Amino acid sequence: MSSRRSRSRQTGSTSRISDDQIIDLVSKLHQLLPEIRNAHSDKVSAAKVLQETCNYIRSLHREVDDLSERLSELLATTDNAQAAIIRTLLMQ
Amino acid sequence: MNKYNPPRMNPSSLRSRFATRFLRSLSKINAKKPTASSSSPTEIFRRYRRIKVAADKSMAYSVRSRRTWSRAMLWKLRTRPCCRRSVKTSTIVRKTRHEKQNKNTTTTTGEDGVVFGVEADELRELVPGGEAMDLYNLLDETAHYIKCLTTQVQVMKKIADFYSP
């Protein structure tokens, strides 16, 4: 089989990524997550953050799906007006 | 004293780039609908697929090749097994799926021996292009991917609210 070069590139890579950098990134991810269930938000383990991130991404995918479905039903019933589009663009 | 000033839109922000592209695709999708059967379930489903692909495509094009995940997504979108694509493309897609099945579960370790095995693999499946990234890049790409996904959801929500009665 073809060699899996990318698999062997684990922690023995040329650039040593320090643990602090990883911790920084994990905490940066933690900031992005919606803080609904976290009582003590500064003592969450990294594995928990990754878990929550996976759940959050899945829920975002689901929201995109629902919104696409909603939009497809709405487009079936609306007339498309150019002015409406421009207005949507302007309002944030 | 506090006059309400509607926020000026930054024309080069991710949100406006995505919104412009997505609205353009939406009007294209809307324009080609056959008026006879536009409310049948199959038509709605077909339009739903097109809208979803348009949303992902608009976001990936708004980010261009600056990010690994957007490059992976653009590549995936271009080699979709579309009914109008040639046979050559479908063989490429089949080979990629075969490679994915041979992937062994990797254990990603940080410097102090913290193991992120299962969660990192789960994350790799969710983020486009995540299979080939090391932990550092994976976390970096995930943060940007989440930011773009939330923008996408916000814009789509605004549009849906605007069009709903």
Side-chain angles (χ1 to χ4, degrees):
Chain A
M1 274 301 192
S2 58
S3 62
R4 303 259 182 271
R5 257 179 296 123
S6 57
R7 290 285 162 261
S8 57
R9 191 168 44 87
Q10 285 286 340
T11 46
S13 57
T14 46
S15 58
R16 302 292 272 168
I17 309 291
S18 75
D19 198 37
D20 287 333
Q21 285 174 300
I22 302 233
I23 292 181
D24 277 344
L25 278 181
V26 169
S27 64
K28 188 169 94 166
L29 265 184
H30 185 52
Q31 300 296 324
L32 290 172
L33 301 178
E35 304 257 351
I36 308 179
R37 288 175 292 259
N38 288 333
H40 34 264
S41 42
D42 50 338
K43 287 215 280 191
V44 183
S45 75
K48 189 90 171 32
V49 171
L50 287 189
Q51 184 67 42
E52 293 288 320
T53 311
C54 292
N55 295 338
Y56 187 46
I57 293 185
R58 279 194 204 107
S59 75
L60 283 175
H61 283 166
R62 243 178 290 139
E63 270 198 72
V64 170
D65 273 346
D66 290 340
L67 284 169
S68 309
E69 214 178 312
R70 211 174 126 197
L71 276 176
S72 75
E73 285 167 14
L74 286 172
L75 281 187
T77 54
T78 338
D79 281 326
N80 209 6
Q82 286 296 95
I85 297 181
I86 299 175
R87 232 178 294 140
T88 323
L89 269 178
L90 289 178
M91 40 179 200
Q92 278 213 354
Chain B
M1 279 281 276
N2 290 338
K3 204 167 73 165
Y4 174 68
N5 281 326
R8 278 289 144 96
M9 194 140 164
N10 180 9
S12 60
S13 72
L14 176 72
R15 181 195 292 253
S16 60
R17 289 201 310 269
F18 168 70
T20 318
R21 280 198 172 87
F22 184 53
L23 285 169
R24 210 178 289 153
S25 321
L26 272 187
S27 25
K28 264 191 231 163
I29 293 174
N30 205 24
K32 60 166 88 150
K33 68 172 179 197
T35 42
S37 62
S38 58
S39 309
S40 69
T42 24
E43 259 309 304
I44 291 186
F45 181 74
R46 225 175 274 159
R47 222 188 346 257
Y48 148 71
R49 295 291 307 171
R50 263 188 236 138
I51 291 179
K52 184 161 180 329
V53 166
D56 288 338
K57 210 186 236 189
S58 307
M59 184 44 85
Y61 271 110
S62 303
V63 180
R64 294 262 158 204
S65 333
R66 284 200 303 266
R67 282 281 164 172
T68 316
W69 71 262
S70 65
R71 287 197 293 268
M73 188 180 266
L74 284 174
W75 188 87
K76 207 190 300 179
L77 286 169
R78 284 197 191 117
T79 55
R80 272 183 302 146
C82 210
C83 43
R84 274 175 252 137
R85 293 267 181 259
S86 64
V87 183
K88 235 186 281 177
T89 325
S90 49
T91 45
I92 296 175
V93 176
R94 241 181 279 136
K95 208 169 22 155
T96 321
R97 274 203 212 123
H98 179 67
E99 273 180 16
K100 264 199 202 170
Q101 279 161 12
N102 283 342
K103 177 181 75 140
N104 302 323
T105 324
T106 55
T107 327
T108 319
T109 350
E111 285 292 322
D112 63 349
V114 178
V115 177
F116 293 138
V118 177
E119 292 89 2
D121 285 339
E122 264 187 66
L123 198 54
R124 284 206 166 86
E125 282 175 27
L126 287 171
V127 176
E131 302 91 8
M133 292 184 210
D134 57 13
L135 182 63
Y136 183 77
N137 288 320
L138 179 67
L139 294 176
D140 198 29
E141 295 284 320
T142 308
H144 191 259
Y145 184 54
I146 289 183
K147 188 180 91 158
C148 295
L149 271 182
T150 43
T151 310
Q152 190 173 339
V153 164
Q154 279 167 11
V155 172
M156 288 175 81
K157 219 179 266 184
K158 274 252 159 66
I159 298 178
D161 288 341
F162 183 77
Y163 272 116
S164 52

